[in-house]
Amino acid sequence: MNAPPPNDLLPEFPADFVWGVATSAFQIEGAAREDGKGPSIWDEFCRKPGVIADHSTGDVACDHYHRLDADLDLIASLGVDAYRFSVSWPRVQPHGVGAWNEPGLAFYERLVDGLLARGIKPYLTLNHWDLPAALQASGGWGNRDTVYRFVDYATQVAARLGDRITAITTHNEPWVMACLGHETGEFAPGIKDRAVATQVSHHLLLSHGLALQALRAQGCTSRLGIVLNLAPVVAATQSAEDQAIARLKDGRLVRWYMDPLFKQAYPADILEFLGRDAPRMEAGDLRDIATPMDFLGVNYYSRRVASAAGHWDPHAHGKPVTDMGWEVYPQGLTELLLRLDHDYALPPMYITENGAAFKDQLLAGQVHDDLRRDYISRHIAAVADAMRQGVRMQGYMVWSLLDNFEWASGYAKRFGIVHVDYATQQRTLKDSALWYREFLRQQKAKQMPGLVSLERA
Ligand code: FCB
């Protein structure tokens, strides 16, 4: 791996660039059956034998639900501007339809007010995958009715909290919910049916557009957008087969979501590829999906290399990889942002997730996670590169604040800049967190030298 840019070589970002850390409800909250919360599809999925690598569940996770104030202090101690979190739909509406659960709403109200009291901007995600299980019983995201249930949920959350939220994201990573949840079945709800998966992607996009319209109609002043997991997809070789597979994978991962959102159409080559598995639509759906957004969130972890020979293993090709086996490829982030900016008329973008799992060791109260620190600093440099070339970027959020429940990998994969000892729930800042805090301090010092020296005095 190349050496990371030392702090003083990282450029100065604009004063209003937003620095944050991110989490999601199911991955950290625990309290799975408390205070009236209903089960989510992930609560149910975890109970199926063999689907989670370490047979774990989200029952306790980081116990964040019970440690809210201490965790908010932890976030504040990092000196970030923003915290990206998600609301658990079944915590605020246990069955996904009908009655609202007051203790659930009150929890998020405490979270938001606690952030504001500490000077941190709340970035709220409505759907980070934990659909109420009761809705799955009637078809989940494969059923068009769930679209309207989601709009109700969005308007309720916004009515309660919207006056204090900087930005609301409708969905986190629709590709993951559709493809991993409904085509490969690796993630909840564990369905393996491509026609269902494409229908799910259409309903997610439609519910996003309709929720935006409903929130604006009720006067919500938060900035509204969606978060996509995107990556450059490159062919392993120059062969026609590899080129064709790369084009197809790019179509399914990037264009399938970006084209309807920003060009009001699904890509023709992918519709043709899907054939009878293409989604059923109603008149006006594409117009609704393309409802203008205030921002686009991009989650970036690695590039994808497409090969007709099957899975392309970066490690076997001598590339640096993380503990997930994902290639460390920061320049892919610059390439991706330039391409999006070139191909689409976009609102400002945020990097809403970026980070890495590595095998950490907690020794004498310290975690020397140099690889994670280097990963983060090199990706921040990649964002700066894109900005230098004219791309409008407004923020960067590290995934993740805490080690947490990494979906089908369970607790074995650690993405946090803060270490969590799951036996004691002790939090320990890793070196990457100390580095991020210092990097942010230096950024602010460049922007407001007087203020920082006064604070230090
Ligand atoms: C993303 C998810 C997030 C986390 C990271 C590693 O796909 O949005 O919850 O699991 O990957």
Side-chain angles (χ1 to χ4, degrees), residues 24 27 128-129 172-173 176 299 301 326 353 399 406-407 415:
S24 86
Q27 294 178 277
H128 202 123
W129 309 353
N172 177 72
E173 304 190 346
V176 171
N299 293 352
Y301 290 92
W326 300 345
E353 286 182 26
W399 183 272
E406 178 45 36
W407 309 111
F415 272 91

Side-chain angles (χ1 to χ4, degrees), residues 141 147 150-151 170-171 202-212:
W141 285 112
V147 170
F150 177 77
V151 174
T170 52
H171 300 297
H202 180 68
H203 288 157
L204 287 166
L205 288 168
L206 178 62
S207 65
H208 153 82
L210 293 179
L212 256 51

Side-chain angles (χ1 to χ4, degrees), residues 106-125:
F107 170 74
Y108 294 108
E109 192 146 59
R110 277 208 294 134
L111 197 169
V112 169
D113 290 343
L115 289 171
L116 295 177
R118 290 165 178 83
I120 300 163
K121 296 185 172 77
Y123 279 61
L124 182 154
T125 301

Side-chain angles (χ1 to χ4, degrees), residues 57-128:
T57 69
D59 286 3
V60 178
C62 304
D63 199 32
H64 171 70
Y65 187 77
H66 297 121
R67 294 164 195 269
L68 179 63
D69 290 322
D71 284 345
L72 292 177
D73 287 342
L74 180 70
I75 297 166
S77 79
L78 296 172
V80 292
D81 305 306
Y83 176 52
R84 175 174 180 251
F85 64 98
S86 79
V87 171
S88 157
W89 181 354
R91 195 180 290 291
V92 304
Q93 192 183 31
H95 305 292
V97 56
W100 303 101
N101 182 38
E102 181 50 36
L105 287 163
F107 170 74
Y108 294 108
E109 192 146 59
R110 277 208 294 134
L111 197 169
V112 169
D113 290 343
L115 289 171
L116 295 177
R118 290 165 178 83
I120 300 163
K121 296 185 172 77
Y123 279 61
L124 182 154
T125 301
L126 288 163
N127 172 24
H128 202 123

Side-chain angles (χ1 to χ4, degrees), residues 25 37 150 186 207 228:
K37 177 182 170 293
F150 177 77
E186 293 156 77
S207 65
L228 304 179

